[in-house]
Amino acid sequence: MQFTQEHEEIRRNLIKFIDSEINPHVEEWERDGAFPAHALFKKMGDLGFLGINKPTEYGGLGLDYSYQMVMIEALGHINCGGVPMGIGVQTDMGTPALARFGSDELRKEFLAPAIAGEQVVCLGVSEVGAGSDVAGIKTTARKDGDDYVINGGKMWTTNGTQADWMCLLANTGDGPIHQNKSLICVPMKTKGVQIARKLDKLGMRSSDTAQVYLDDVRVPQRYRIGQEGHGFVYQMRQFQEERLWCAFSSLMAFDRHIDETIDYTRQRKAFGQSILDNQVVHFRLAELRTEVELLRSISYRAADLMLQGEDVTMLASMAKLKAGRLAREITDACLQYFGGMGFMNETPISRAYRDSRLASIGGGADEVMLGIISKYMGILPGKRKD
């Protein structure tokens, strides 16, 4: 992956923005259990950060994914996991399908204000009985005249308490489970949409997450993204960008955790020498740094192949799997080397330890990633040709 001056300008400007507009407020937002999405996204939208690879007709910059990749990686400079995740839903999880398959009218109504930061987006896919098993969702959208009438519920909805609209996956037919679903833009103020509760999470404390009920919610059929019955396919493609987001957004954060641990262990003394001088410590940190570079390589390769129009499902799944597992490995090792201070909430590594656990669950659990990889390898039972 070759970066130009324009790539570096995006990286530099976003890091500068993070230092002035995000990191100084992280402690407050963590305590509050949410960051002010509308205020923050409006500032980001004004600077073009929410539509880097979105069409220019709707306010985006129209750049290719390599520029978006640089933006995502720079989000790792934020001193928590919750704020980057909320931004990621806005840019890489809740809007790619709309940008790619939505009608011109629909993109003007929903995509343009999302790119401008005037509206906040959430993604309605997971349900209480259907997390990783997306095909098993129960929410329905039945036709009634020119409308859909939606009934069901969504769980673990990031940005859910603040969102203006939801990119909702629902069953719009009775056919095969991979061909009976559609993606629909649902304004959150529509009658029948109810925020059941704000969820209390282990980590990602600055990100608001909701359980949402939908009771006879009526929206026009023109709010459907693309063709009816193609929602599962659209969402699987949208998942690829979410999984690459997970990998790219972790890289700079991983480097930061290691650097902070090096600084602390260099200063901390035990048994007459710095903790860092113990071979078990500096060898382990060297090993972890190597793992980060390997993740960076596979992630960059996936992005490069995607830019060439190739299917990167297996590589994106590998990158997501590795990012989730490495998140646990790095934060656990670094917290250990912080000793007693690592167990204190005031120490950044303790927050990283809590926040990072989601990476192996959200966007497809590790086990789902392994299943996808096995399928592409031709070794998944029931999928083999032998």
Side-chain angles (χ1 to χ4, degrees):
M1 184 69 66
Q2 296 294 319
F3 295 121
T4 65
Q5 183 177 346
E6 288 75 19
H7 287 98
E8 296 303 332
E9 191 70 14
I10 289 174
R11 190 195 315 272
R12 184 165 51 250
N13 286 338
L14 181 52
I15 288 176
K16 181 180 178 181
F17 178 84
I18 291 169
D19 282 335
S20 63
E21 301 291 342
I22 298 180
N23 279 344
H25 308 290
V26 163
E27 298 297 332
E28 175 189 355
W29 296 342
E30 286 281 307
R31 288 192 300 270
D32 291 345
F35 70 93
H38 285 92
L40 180 62
F41 288 0
K42 184 62 172 68
K43 292 177 182 178
M44 296 187 73
D46 289 345
L47 294 172
F49 290 131
L50 300 181
I52 288 175
N53 63 332
K54 298 296 194 298
T56 56
E57 305 94 292
Y58 311 102
L61 300 183
L63 300 173
D64 65 42
Y65 186 76
S66 67
Y67 294 89
Q68 180 68 8
M69 181 194 79
V70 167
M71 189 280 283
I72 299 168
E73 191 170 347
L75 293 177
H77 187 65
I78 299 175
N79 291 332
C80 67
V83 177
M85 185 169 66
I87 296 169
V89 169
Q90 186 87 357
T91 59
D92 289 76
M93 303 177 204
T95 52
L98 175 59
R100 191 174 289 120
F101 302 110
S103 67
D104 182 61
E105 180 185 18
L106 200 64
R107 287 184 286 185
K108 286 179 180 177
E109 188 168 350
F110 291 99
L111 182 62
I115 290 172
E118 295 168 355
Q119 293 186 2
V120 175
V121 183
C122 65
L123 178 64
V125 175
S126 294
E127 300 179 4
V128 173
S132 294
D133 181 15
V134 174
I137 65 167
K138 302 301 182 185
T139 297
T140 60
R142 301 298 182 189
K143 290 181 180 178
D144 183 19
D146 293 330
D147 297 337
Y148 283 121
V149 178
I150 304 168
N151 284 281
K154 295 298 176 178
M155 187 65 166
W156 306 296
T157 306
T158 299
N159 296 345
T161 69
Q162 301 185 71
D164 295 285
W165 63 272
M166 172 186 286
C167 178
L168 172 83
L169 185 68
N171 296 305
T172 50
D174 299 317
I177 59 175
H178 298 107
Q179 300 172 26
N180 72 336
K181 295 171 173 57
S182 301
L183 285 174
I184 305 168
C185 295
V186 178
M188 294 295 281
K189 291 184 179 179
T190 306
K191 182 180 178 181
V193 177
Q194 178 187 353
I195 307 301
R197 60 188 174 115
K198 179 182 176 183
L199 302 176
D200 186 13
K201 309 185 299 291
L202 168 69
M204 300 291 190
R205 305 291 296 183
S206 54
S207 163
D208 66 293
T209 308
Q211 182 176 14
V212 182
Y213 293 151
L214 302 114
D215 183 16
D216 286 338
V217 175
R218 183 178 290 270
V219 298
Q221 288 183 42
R222 64 181 178 85
Y223 281 5
R224 185 187 66 241
I225 297 172
Q227 298 182 55
E228 188 171 76
H230 287 229
F232 184 85
V233 174
Y234 295 162
Q235 183 54 42
M236 289 304 103
R237 185 165 178 180
Q238 204 160 236
F239 270 147
Q240 299 316 310
E241 294 183 51
E242 178 173 349
R243 288 160 187 170
L244 285 175
W245 181 92
C246 181
F248 285 122
S249 66
S250 67
L251 294 171
M252 191 175 291
F254 289 165
D255 283 335
R256 178 163 45 84
H257 302 331
I258 293 170
D259 288 341
E260 289 171 352
T261 305
I262 290 171
D263 290 342
Y264 184 78
T265 55
R266 178 179 282 123
Q267 299 169 27
R268 183 182 168 210
K269 306 291 183 181
F271 305 106
Q273 64 177 356
S274 73
I275 298 297
L276 185 62
D277 285 342
N278 289 279
Q279 187 182 80
V280 69
V281 176
H282 57 252
F283 272 19
R284 182 69 173 128
L285 292 172
E287 181 180 37
L288 293 173
R289 181 76 84 189
T290 301
E291 292 289 336
V292 175
E293 287 305 312
L294 290 171
L295 174 61
R296 182 172 278 111
S297 294
I298 193 173
S299 301
Y300 281 16
R301 182 180 173 217
D304 193 42
L305 291 174
M306 189 166 74
L307 284 166
Q308 297 175 40
E310 297 192 25
D311 179 12
V312 297
T313 302
M314 185 167 77
L315 282 176
S317 301
M318 289 176 169
K320 165 69 167 61
L321 173 69
K322 188 62 178 176
R325 293 193 165 178
L326 196 54
R328 285 186 274 164
E329 189 176 2
I330 288 176
T331 56
D332 183 72
C334 290
L335 188 150
Q336 182 72 20
Y337 297 148
F338 269 81
M341 287 306 299
F343 204 63
M344 300 295 103
N345 277 332
E346 66 193 73
T347 308
I349 195 62
S350 69
R351 177 186 301 150
Y353 181 84
R354 289 181 284 108
D355 286 353
S356 66
R357 191 60 185 85
L358 181 62
S360 284
I361 301 172
D366 284 1
E367 293 75 16
V368 174
M369 298 302 99
L370 288 166
I372 294 170
I373 296 164
S374 297
K375 178 182 177 181
Y376 274 76
M377 291 174 64
I379 60 174
L380 188 66
K383 301 292 183 179
R384 294 196 299 264
K385 297 179 180 179
D386 55 11

